[in-house]
Amino acid sequence: MQTNQCSQLHFKAIVMATLLACLPLLARCQNGAGAPAPVSPELAADIKALVASVNHLQSQVENLNSQMTELRNAQQHALREAEQLRAELNQTREQLSAKIGSAPGVYEGGAAISQGASALVPPSSSSISSASATLPRREQSTEESSTGDLQQRISKLEDDQQLMNDKIVEQSQTKVESGSKYRVRLSGLVLLNTAVTRGSVDNLDIPQVAVPAEAPGVAGSFSGSLRQSQIGIETFGPDIAGARTSANVKFDFAGGFPNVPNGAAFGVVRLRTGTVRLDWANTSIVAGQDAIFFAPLTPTSLASLAIPALSYTGNLWSWTPQVRIEHRFAPSENSALRIQAGILDSLTGDIPQQSYRYPSVGEESGQPAYATHIGYTQRVFGRDLSVGIGGYYGRQNWAFGRAVDGWAGVTDVTVPLGEFLDFSGEFYRGRAVGGLGGGVGQSILLSGSIYNPASAIYGLDSTGGWVQLKFKPKANFEVNFAYGQDQPFARELRLFPASALYYGYSISRNQSPFVNFIYRVRSDVLFSMEYKRLQTNPLNSNANIANRLVLSLGYAF
């Protein structure tokens, strides 16, 4: 490329010189002392065109000279810049060496300095190469040796910098390596909950309903637990058909207790969720075990993570195997629309045997459950206002030809009420949704024993929901006020009293307010205090009440 440019320049210069030399002769031919020779019109036109070409070539030579001067100045500026960057790089290397020598602080300081230093070098090398490449060969020959030497030194500095980056990363963190060699991220939460409970509840670690006292004279309890601690693993794989692939799995320790002394302190590991994702620009496919996407919101709490807060008090929830597809639209710059649809394993709250897995009444229907959700988000005053509607349908087979259609309609909303306040809530109306936490865990109505083929079975209607007001004056501090209520239709429960024999209870309403604050001492250290009141109304009986104060200390990693 450079040789062709120089050859063209030499050719133009020779032609220009020849034409300049011929101009006087041409002038004498036109204005000589002797008798003027007759000149044809065609020759006169050629002479005028030749003169115009000579003038054009002169202007091109002047432009080339100007460009060469600018390129020479640019190269000198690049050389000065490279010298300055090399001095800064040497200073950075000295700082990095000092950081490496003082072990504990390497990760926080050294990594940042390393990243900053590595960002300095490459642009200078490329800019010098491009500037040198555009110089004509005559100019390049005078400085070729110095430029090549500079490029070699810059390349060596880049290699040294990369080596230092690798050493810093190796010393500053413990790497998680996967069998596939793709990037893996380990995360989790170590969470200690200590609670003072006044009254009796169904589950001391994660209470959902208040129950009558089991023993007279027992006013309450004090307890502590780490069962709600979590571990998560996430991996990021290759692109497939233009989609980014990733997968994640999460566990906690709320899977029960071993049958040993003090077994309540030794929670069994439990699978929570695990999904595989394919994400295109506007479409995603998700397969695995995940939360029910048609009811996407949940109240904020550190006291109830093993089961989402306000479950069985208006908050539908489940972790169920599913396959769903999501598509996202952007109607405008400040709005977004997301449509989701999928199939789910039709879980209905059945309690499995210890060693064997039999199909649930939802699975015995021979078909999956179906769900969809449409969510709209609008940017308002710099905050997101979101509204969504969801639907669910799952058929249940209770044997002897007794089928029940379970369904639910859900509405969710998140509204910013100012700079520091957010209002959120979720409301449902459904039938036979005890497996999703609706109806306080009650799904069906029975006219007699469930084992009697003559007994009729109907779906129990219920309604419920929850609201939350979040006050967040700082990024690391928030206060949450929430209230939830679930209310099966008491009239239906009274018409079918045999239902209580199947569930062991008959609850007509369950409600719970709570208030908490969550403070992040740092991004990885959390502290929370929460007060919660449970009020559970058995059918045709006085309410059971329990009060609970929970202190939580968490460390996220």
Side-chain angles (χ1 to χ4, degrees):
M1 184 69 179
Q2 294 176 355
T3 303
N4 293 336
Q5 290 179 352
C6 292
S7 299
Q8 293 174 3
L9 178 62
H10 292 163
F11 176 77
K12 291 179 180 180
I14 292 171
V15 171
M16 182 191 70
T18 303
L19 292 174
L20 290 175
C22 293
L23 284 176
L25 180 60
L26 294 172
R28 285 197 300 270
C29 291
Q30 290 180 328
N31 302 311
V39 179
S40 64
E42 293 81 5
L43 181 60
D46 291 341
I47 292 174
K48 291 181 181 180
L50 185 61
V51 172
S53 299
V54 169
N55 293 333
H56 181 65
L57 287 173
Q58 285 179 336
S59 63
Q60 286 186 338
V61 169
E62 293 176 357
N63 290 334
L64 287 172
N65 288 332
S66 175
Q67 292 177 3
M68 290 168 56
T69 302
E70 292 176 358
L71 289 173
R72 190 180 297 110
N73 293 335
Q75 185 186 30
Q76 293 175 355
H77 177 73
L79 291 173
R80 290 193 300 269
E81 182 183 14
E83 292 293 335
Q84 181 181 359
L85 291 175
R86 183 167 59 181
E88 294 177 356
L89 184 59
N90 290 333
Q91 182 181 1
T92 302
R93 292 176 63 185
E94 295 175 359
Q95 294 176 354
L96 291 173
S97 299
K99 286 287 184 181
I100 294 174
S102 58
V106 171
Y107 182 75
E108 294 182 7
I113 295 175
S114 171
Q115 293 174 1
S118 62
L120 295 175
V121 178
S124 299
S125 176
S126 60
S127 61
I128 292 172
S129 297
S130 61
S132 301
T134 57
L135 287 174
R137 182 172 296 277
R138 290 182 301 174
E139 296 296 331
Q140 185 177 357
S141 60
T142 60
E143 298 176 352
E144 184 177 2
S145 60
S146 60
T147 302
D149 180 64
L150 177 61
Q151 292 178 349
Q152 184 177 3
R153 286 182 290 174
I154 292 295
S155 178
K156 186 177 184 300
L157 288 174
E158 291 177 354
D159 294 338
D160 293 342
Q161 182 64 45
Q162 184 63 41
L163 180 61
M164 285 190 297
N165 290 343
D166 294 340
K167 289 182 178 180
I168 289 172
V169 171
E170 183 177 358
Q171 294 182 8
S172 63
Q173 67 176 2
T174 302
K175 295 180 290 185
V176 178
E177 184 176 357
S178 69
S180 63
K181 305 301 181 183
Y182 286 103
R183 184 165 63 96
V184 174
R185 181 167 59 197
L186 176 68
S187 62
L189 174 67
V190 179
L191 180 63
L192 170 65
N193 288 325
T194 59
V196 177
T197 305
R198 291 294 177 261
S200 296
V201 293
D202 61 327
N203 187 329
L204 190 59
D205 290 337
I206 319 120
Q208 306 302 320
V209 297
V211 299
E214 293 185 0
V218 177
S221 62
F222 174 86
S223 60
S225 174
L226 270 77
R227 295 177 63 210
Q228 300 192 76
S229 299
Q230 299 180 13
I231 295 176
I233 302 173
E234 188 173 9
T235 182
F236 305 89
D239 288 356
I240 298 178
R244 300 186 307 274
T245 63
S246 62
N248 66 82
V249 63
K250 294 182 180 179
F251 305 90
D252 63 19
F253 301 88
F257 309 102
N259 189 22
V260 297
N262 299 321
F266 311 135
V268 177
V269 176
R270 178 186 68 165
L271 173 65
R272 291 169 60 94
T273 61
T275 60
V276 177
R277 296 185 63 96
L278 284 80
D279 293 296
W280 288 268
N282 298 312
T283 305
S284 298
I285 296 177
V286 183
Q289 179 164 302
D290 205 358
I292 50 176
F293 60 89
F294 60 90
L297 302 184
T298 191
T300 305
S301 173
L302 281 180
S304 185
L305 291 181
I307 296 177
L310 297 183
S311 298
Y312 304 99
T313 46
N315 182 22
L316 297 184
W317 80 282
S318 180
W319 296 314
T320 177
Q322 60 187 267
V323 178
R324 70 177 186 268
I325 185 170
E326 306 175 358
H327 191 69
R328 297 170 290 275
F329 304 88
S332 67
E333 294 183 356
N334 297 321
S335 63
L337 181 68
R338 183 175 68 171
I339 299 177
Q340 300 171 282
I343 58 175
L344 305 86
D345 191 351
S346 186
L347 301 182
T348 49
D350 305 49
I351 299 177
Q353 295 187 10
Q354 189 68 26
S355 303
Y356 300 96
R357 186 181 190 274
Y358 295 100
S360 68
V361 295
E363 293 169 333
E364 286 185 336
S365 67
Q367 59 179 298
Y370 310 93
T372 185
H373 183 267
I374 301 175
Y376 177 78
T377 301
Q378 176 72 46
R379 197 75 173 171
V380 179
F381 303 115
R383 309 284 299 282
D384 286 338
L385 184 152
S386 302
V387 179
I389 55 173
Y392 166 84
Y393 171 80
R395 192 163 180 82
Q396 304 171 14
N397 184 358
W398 290 87
F400 305 111
R402 299 173 298 186
V404 172
D405 293 324
W407 59 268
V410 183
T411 300
D412 59 270
V413 60
T414 301
V415 181
L417 299 178
E419 184 178 359
F420 306 121
L421 283 176
D422 281 325
F423 171 84
S424 58
E426 198 169 80
F427 313 92
Y428 87 91
R429 166 70 169 87
R431 176 181 296 167
V433 288
L436 305 178
V440 201
Q442 304 163 111
S443 287
I444 58 171
L445 301 163
L446 290 163
S447 63
S449 171
I450 193 172
Y451 303 106
N452 184 355
S455 298
I457 298 181
Y458 304 96
L460 172 63
D461 290 292
S462 61
T463 184
W466 60 269
V467 294
Q468 176 180 272
L469 185 65
K470 181 187 291 291
F471 174 62
K472 194 170 184 178
K474 296 183 179 179
N476 64 339
F477 180 77
E478 62 183 78
V479 181
N480 300 287
F481 307 87
Y483 173 81
Q485 175 175 292
D486 205 318
Q487 190 164 359
F489 285 18
R491 178 178 56 84
E492 296 180 0
L493 292 173
R494 292 189 181 96
L495 290 175
F496 295 91
S499 306
L501 300 176
Y502 177 72
Y503 289 105
Y505 56 83
S506 186
I507 299 175
S508 61
R509 185 171 63 176
N510 191 34
Q511 55 187 331
S512 174
F514 74 74
V515 58
N516 65 40
F517 75 83
I518 301 174
Y519 174 60
R520 289 182 176 267
V521 182
R522 287 185 33 160
S523 60
D524 49 1
V525 179
L526 302 91
F527 178 76
S528 174
M529 178 181 292
E530 176 175 303
Y531 168 76
K532 181 178 182 179
R533 177 181 175 88
L534 280 166
Q535 181 172 324
T536 305
N537 292 77
L539 185 66
N540 302 324
S541 180
N542 295 328
N544 300 315
I545 296 176
N547 296 283
R548 182 175 171 87
L549 180 66
V550 183
L551 297 178
S552 303
L553 177 63
Y555 188 96
F557 61 89

